[in-house]
Amino acid sequence: MGDAELEKSRARYGLLAVVISNLAIAGVAIFGVWRLGGDRSVIVGVLTAAFTAVSSMTTAYLGIKAVSNTAKSIALGEGAARQQQQPAPAPAATPAAPAAPPAQRTSEAP
């Protein structure tokens, strides 16, 4: 199994784990709301906790995946290749030689 296939498998199964976890959280929240029988303050608390857990799990997975992809691209040298493709900054212009000082005036009239 090559590196590309391994990365695809990791991404696929990681996403599958997140989706299954989110569905389990949603299932428990729905069951909890159904069993509470109408106490609105407790229902709001259960739904808030479920939403927080789902959003935290999904955000953590996406953040870890993004950092992993960035680290891999840097390790493989793609960052260096991109830097080489960018044009080098123009060298700073060398200062011109100072102009000759102005001639002195004399008080004699021509």
Side-chain angles (χ1 to χ4, degrees), residues 31-96:
F31 180 75
V33 167
W34 174 64
R35 293 295 292 168
L36 290 174
D39 188 3
R40 291 180 190 241
S41 62
V42 177
I43 290 173
V44 169
V46 168
L47 293 178
T48 302
F51 179 77
T52 302
V54 167
S55 63
S56 297
M57 175 111 34
T58 305
T59 303
Y61 170 75
L62 294 176
I64 291 169
K65 187 67 181 150
V67 169
S68 173
N69 290 344
T70 302
K72 182 179 177 190
S73 68
I74 290 172
L76 292 177
E78 291 177 22
R82 286 185 192 148
Q83 289 177 354
Q84 290 175 355
Q85 290 175 356
Q86 293 177 352
T94 56

